[in-house]
Amino acid sequence: MVMDAQYFGKKLEKEAKYQWELSEYLNRDICQPEGFDAYGYPSELFKLDMERLGIATKRKSAKVIDIAQYIENNRGTND
């Protein structure tokens, strides 16, 4: 991220604790950091790491829908 920050096209606000535009700029690309098996956005992987370490509470698992199975199960029901 430090390497990416040097290409941020706007001046950094030294007095600001959080800079929204800089955060959006640095979190726009996916990556695969050490300790993760999959790629993802830095902000999302940070949240997962915080949960893993017990710093943040674990979120509920996302409900995943198998689209092919959903279509198969609902074929012909909208006639």
Side-chain angles (χ1 to χ4, degrees):
M1 275 193 180
V2 172
M3 296 295 288
D4 286 344
Q6 68 182 338
Y7 299 107
F8 184 59
K10 299 182 179 185
K11 289 190 174 197
L12 300 178
E13 300 171 32
K14 294 181 182 178
E15 301 302 318
K17 291 184 179 181
Y18 181 78
Q19 298 180 48
W20 182 83
E21 287 180 285
L22 177 61
S23 178
E24 290 293 313
Y25 178 79
L26 294 174
N27 285 289
R28 74 191 190 289
D29 296 325
I30 61 171
C31 64
Q32 183 185 19
E34 187 76 29
F36 287 90
D37 295 335
Y39 285 86
Y41 290 102
S43 58
E44 191 62 27
L45 295 172
F46 179 70
K47 289 177 193 174
L48 291 173
D49 207 27
M50 297 284 279
E51 291 171 5
R52 181 183 63 82
L53 294 170
I55 297 170
T57 57
K58 258 191 182 230
R59 296 174 284 174
K60 293 180 182 177
S61 298
K63 181 178 179 184
V64 178
I65 299 172
D66 181 344
I67 297 298
Q69 188 64 45
Y70 177 83
I71 291 170
E72 187 65 32
N73 291 344
N74 293 297
R75 185 169 283 156
T77 59
N78 292 333
D79 293 330

